[in-house]
Amino acid sequence: MEGIRVLTLKAIEATPSTFQDYGQVVEASPDGQEFGPHDAQLDLIQGTPRFYIMHIENRSLKFSSITHHASVTQCLGSVGGHVWYLGVAKSSIVDSNEIKDNTGKKIVQSRSGHSYVPPNIEDVQVFKVAGSKFLKLNRGTWHAGPLFKANSMDFYNLELSNTNVIDHTTHYFKKDNGVVFLIDE
């Protein structure tokens, strides 16, 4: 890959404190415990929720693009608690009513209708998720994955019924920045 830089990122264990800038880590709680801040704080009001099991094959520990959903929170967790990884960057959605770009940052209009600033290479983090927990991504959190070592894995996924059709914005690091990320465990 001529002209392409491979950046190796060390995976960080996903915990409530390490992942708080991107969403929540939700772990098992006792049966009968009332709803509270330990539960996924969801935003599913802009459509019909879709909860399903995704079967994914051949997702090695590298990525060159990252996606966000501007209209919904998303929850991901592995069926069986197997180890997986997720590349993330903070939401960079810009309120179109308040766009005053005096910072020199590039503002892009998505096909979905919202505006955003493309994620910076330096802002990408990788998290390792293991055991009986799932990640709730904040609305607009950039994410790459789930990624894993096995040949295939199944994941619980909660989003909207049309998220991947009308609310799917992707930034291509390889094309736009000449970068591919490689995960170091």
Side-chain angles (χ1 to χ4, degrees):
M1 295 188 293
E2 189 175 322
I4 301 295
R5 288 186 302 149
V6 176
L7 296 180
T8 302
L9 296 177
K10 182 81 174 154
I12 301 166
E13 186 70 33
T15 68
S17 61
T18 62
F19 198 72
Q20 67 184 349
D21 289 339
Y22 311 99
Q24 293 175 268
V25 174
V26 180
E27 300 179 86
S29 56
D31 185 32
Q33 183 174 26
E34 292 190 18
F35 178 79
H38 56 279
D39 294 306
Q41 306 298 305
L42 303 173
D43 179 353
L44 300 168
I45 62 171
Q46 296 194 43
T48 303
R50 178 183 183 204
F51 182 60
Y52 64 105
I53 297 175
M54 292 188 303
H55 178 74
I56 302 176
E57 296 184 2
N58 303 317
R59 290 282 179 95
S60 65
L61 301 184
K62 66 181 176 180
F63 61 96
S64 61
S65 63
I66 199 163
T67 298
H68 77 228
H69 309 300
S71 299
V72 66
T73 54
Q74 182 178 16
C75 294
L76 293 167
S78 73
V79 175
H82 305 291
V83 174
W84 58 286
Y85 301 84
L86 191 71
V88 295
K90 290 180 189 175
S91 175
S92 57
I93 296 171
V94 178
D95 184 341
S96 58
N97 296 324
E98 299 177 9
I99 294 178
K100 294 181 180 128
D101 186 20
N102 52 8
T103 63
K105 293 183 178 179
K106 176 182 176 184
I107 295 177
V108 178
Q109 177 80 33
S110 76
R111 292 183 305 149
S112 304
H114 66 279
S115 299
Y116 67 94
V117 176
N120 289 321
I121 295 167
E122 302 80 27
D123 295 336
V124 176
Q125 297 282 327
V126 174
F127 287 90
K128 177 181 180 179
V129 184
S132 299
K133 56 182 144 184
F134 67 88
L135 300 181
K136 190 271 314 197
L137 302 176
N138 290 337
R139 201 174 56 81
T141 294
W142 292 97
H143 56 285
L147 306 169
F148 45 86
K149 290 185 192 177
N151 292 332
S152 66
M153 280 181 67
D154 293 336
F155 291 86
Y156 297 103
N157 190 358
L158 175 62
E159 56 191 10
L160 296 180
S161 61
N162 59 359
T163 293
N164 288 320
V165 177
I166 67 165
D167 186 21
H168 194 270
T169 302
T170 302
H171 176 75
Y172 299 94
F173 286 112
K174 187 174 179 181
K175 180 180 79 164
D176 297 338
N177 307 95
V179 169
V180 172
F181 294 97
L182 179 64
I183 298 172
D184 177 13
E185 310 176 78

